[in-house]
Amino acid sequence: MTQIAIVLYPRFTALDFVGPYEVLRMLPDADVRFVAHEPGPVVADSGVLVVGATHSFDETPSPDLILIPGGPGCFGAAKDEKLREWLRTVGPAAQWTTSVCTGSVVLAAAGLLDGLRATTHWSSLTALSLYGVTAVSDERVVRAGPDERIVTAAGVSAGIDLALWLADQIAGTKKAEAIQLAIEYDPQPHLDSGHRSKASVATITASTVMLSRDLDKPEVLKLSTRLLWDRALATVRARR
């Protein structure tokens, strides 16, 4: 039995975990649970989608695989001491500790990415680097840590790539390929602006404005500003 703990917190981005969930649930003997402070509804960043947490952190003391999604709520999650303590406790013992998008900011806040390479959404690379992480912008999935058991994925859709790689590692290539075909994952978009290096200045600007609509909300802005300030202050003090 492979116990897979997908962490939920308010204002997560749905595709960050739904894509990986569809892959990971097909693994042999997969025990997937959605984990939060307590079982119950958790609202996504849209304010419309609601997902039910099935287990609490206390009920999940030894997962084999941890996955942290991203989203505007990641800054609040990064300040959540109970979540950080749970990650510090279960992370080192887990076979895989993973994140999608800005979920890596939460891992960094828990101290699990200290001195390591990691990736995140392109708009949050600077925030990630404030934790002493080597922020990687040109790799979709980054493996790091002892035996490369800490794995971070770039923004949103990269979670599917991460999950298929994990499926390959856990169940073998044949099973991973069967899962890939089962979900018919063969992306061939007619557009080619899925990475910042390929996008025009106008597209980057429009995308930044689109993303800022979530971050401009007062509670998110307050948390993100406080989080970045705390990290900057810690960096300055560490140099003395």
Side-chain angles (χ1 to χ4, degrees):
M1 185 73 70
T2 300
Q3 187 179 102
I4 300 167
I6 298 176
V7 173
L8 298 181
Y9 54 81
R11 297 181 61 75
F12 62 85
T13 294
L15 186 56
D16 283 14
F17 87 85
V18 172
Y21 162 74
E22 285 297 333
V23 172
L24 298 174
R25 74 180 183 86
M26 295 186 186
L27 291 174
D29 299 319
D31 170 24
V32 181
R33 51 178 62 188
F34 298 137
V35 183
H37 278 271
E38 59 185 26
V42 185
V43 182
D45 54 3
S46 65
V48 177
L49 179 67
V50 179
V51 178
T54 59
H55 295 77
S56 69
F57 296 128
D58 292 338
E59 293 172 322
T60 312
S62 55
D64 299 295
L65 191 159
I66 303 162
L67 187 140
I68 314 291
C74 74
F75 298 106
K79 297 285 288 181
D80 184 336
E81 183 54 35
K82 184 172 180 63
L83 171 54
R84 290 189 299 184
E85 182 58 33
W86 181 78
L87 286 171
R88 285 191 287 263
T89 300
V90 304
Q95 185 175 9
W96 304 100
T97 299
T98 72
S99 66
V100 179
C101 198
T102 53
S104 56
V105 173
V106 182
L107 290 181
L112 299 185
L113 299 181
D114 290 355
L116 300 180
R117 299 170 71 252
T119 191
T120 187
H121 191 278
W122 60 266
S123 65
S124 295
L125 289 165
T126 299
L128 185 61
S129 67
L130 289 175
Y131 286 92
V133 178
T134 300
V136 179
S137 63
D138 58 352
E139 296 179 37
R140 198 156 166 84
V141 177
V142 175
R143 305 186 296 276
D147 300 321
E148 297 188 332
R149 298 299 186 182
I150 298 176
V151 193
T152 56
V156 193
S157 63
I160 299 176
D161 298 54
L162 165 68
L164 285 170
W165 184 85
L166 288 167
D168 191 358
Q169 299 300 304
I170 294 168
T173 300
K174 289 184 178 180
K175 182 64 175 180
E177 288 178 339
I179 294 173
Q180 181 180 14
L181 180 57
I183 65 171
E184 203 166 350
Y185 182 59
D186 184 28
Q188 300 175 33
H190 71 287
L191 303 173
D192 192 24
S193 60
H195 188 275
R196 186 168 180 168
S197 64
K198 301 177 180 179
S200 67
V201 173
T203 298
I204 293 171
T205 300
S207 184
T208 301
V209 170
M210 188 183 306
L211 292 167
S212 70
R213 291 172 184 166
D214 282 326
L215 294 178
D216 280 346
K217 294 180 179 179
E219 69 276 13
V220 176
L221 188 60
K222 180 180 178 180
L223 284 167
S224 60
T225 301
R226 183 69 208 185
L227 184 65
L228 295 177
W229 168 254
D230 287 348
R231 291 309 306 167
L233 186 61
T235 300
V236 170
R237 289 180 174 178
R239 291 174 180 168
R240 294 184 176 181

